Amino acid sequence: MTIQSKTPIGLDGVAAAETALSHVDGEKGELIIAGDRVDDLVLKTGFEGITARLWSAGSGVSISEAEVRSQLGQARERAFARLPALLAATEGISVVDGFRAAMAGLREEPGLKPEAVIVGALPVIAAALARKAIKEAPVAPSPTFSHAADTLKMLRGAKPSADEAKALDAYLTTVSDHGMNASTFTARVVASTQADLFMSTTAAYCALTGPLHGGAPEPVLEMLDAIGTRERIQPWIDSALARGERLMGFGHRIYRVRDPRADVLKGAIERLGSNTTDLGFAAEVEAYARAALRKKNPERALDTNVEFFTAILLDALKIPRQAFTPIFGVGRSAGWTAHAREQQRTGRLLRPGSIYVGPMP
Ligand code: ACO
């Protein structure tokens, strides 16, 4: 079969899989994860609850929220016990790179689902690397805490407030899955070869790190810092766009309207009531950026995406910037593991074609 040149390059509009896990409607600005709209989800359930639903739907075998809570607690403890081995190859590299190296050291653990080993280990690794960067020793997990509360405790060395734990839980739940995004697609490509979940999710994390995907929140804060004051919003954004730069935290391949996750996270920031970021200033930056993008690309709707408010929320929770992408991975790993299982069950290798534009013999 010869692929026609009008095939969309970048796979826009191409369905790579059928999935029971999540649905993104870019025209309506709607995200459904395992049967619920994302805005309802954070009111109804937390990270362990949505993880149970994703794992059940992905594997076809039901698992309860209580079992997920127990497996994740045990997995955090096991990962902490293996930290010296997991961190062995992370010496002298950044938190984002070290996270990749440590993930590659994960392996099956007796009595735990591979899904739980992975999702449970990730906050342990992220926290240990973030603390190592400031020359602090790792902090042991508390297996009875929620995944979100324990993540904050391991990062900071002290138990977070209930409101802080709730805010991180809302974040992890909101980003737990999102259709066929680049990292999830990567997980599915690897799983489609019948490679295991450890291979699939390590590859997925690599895809997450780029600024066009999960690497955007740190640059969002850098942008807010660089703009600095209200008077500089307009000239800064105008000249960045005139130089052809992309504004981090704006635009999306699928959404033609505002990313629904942006408002969920904005709500979580407001409920947290933190004063780390001047929310009035951030709102002015957002409003001007949206207007400037509309003017620049009238044909292509570009609006706020999840990363703009991710940056503000994670900063308000005093999570170090270098750990933003790994913490995104903590949340998204629920979806990666479920998608990898769902893909393996299809037995179908993902293998797209290409259009040859090189010289002919
Ligand atoms: N700032 C300025 N211009 C933009 C932006 C942006 N954030 N996003 C898209 N555009 C412009 C492009 O330059 C292009 O303009 P042109 O036609 O004049 O060349 C036009 O809009 C269309 O862009 P595409 O490349 O077709 O958009 P695509 O769907 O490939 O990009 C992406 C989506 C990668 C998210 C893009 O909007 C972007 O780079 N945003 C900034 C980075 C970011 O926020 N990443 C996080 C995404 S959310 C997530 O993955 C969790």
Side-chain angles (χ1 to χ4, degrees), residues 259-278:
D259 182 335
R261 299 168 299 174
D263 284 328
V264 176
L265 297 188
K266 193 174 181 196
I269 297 164
E270 284 161 0
R271 282 193 296 279
L272 186 62
S274 153
N275 55 7
T276 320
T277 300
D278 179 345

Side-chain angles (χ1 to χ4, degrees), residues 228-309:
T229 60
R230 286 180 161 77
E231 308 72 62
R232 283 171 44 86
I233 295 174
Q234 183 175 346
W236 195 96
I237 289 179
D238 287 351
S239 60
L241 291 178
R243 286 193 302 272
E245 288 173 16
R246 290 188 175 207
L247 302 178
M248 292 293 133
F250 297 89
H252 200 274
R253 173 61 61 84
I254 305 288
Y255 291 119
R256 290 296 172 267
V257 292
R258 196 175 162 83
D259 182 335
R261 299 168 299 174
D263 284 328
V264 176
L265 297 188
K266 193 174 181 196
I269 297 164
E270 284 161 0
R271 282 193 296 279
L272 186 62
S274 153
N275 55 7
T276 320
T277 300
D278 179 345
L279 283 182
F281 169 69
E284 282 186 36
V285 171
E286 186 197 2
Y288 188 76
R290 292 170 74 195
L293 288 169
R294 260 196 305 276
K295 210 161 100 195
K296 174 181 163 278
N297 290 76
E299 305 300 317
R300 170 77 161 86
L302 296 167
D303 212 317
T304 320
N305 66 44
V306 67
E307 301 290 47
F308 189 77
F309 289 106

Side-chain angles (χ1 to χ4, degrees), residues 92-112:
I93 53 178
S94 69
V95 173
V96 168
D97 289 358
F99 195 76
R100 176 198 69 227
M103 269 189 92
L106 294 174
R107 53 157 202 222
E108 295 250 9
E109 295 277 348
L112 290 179

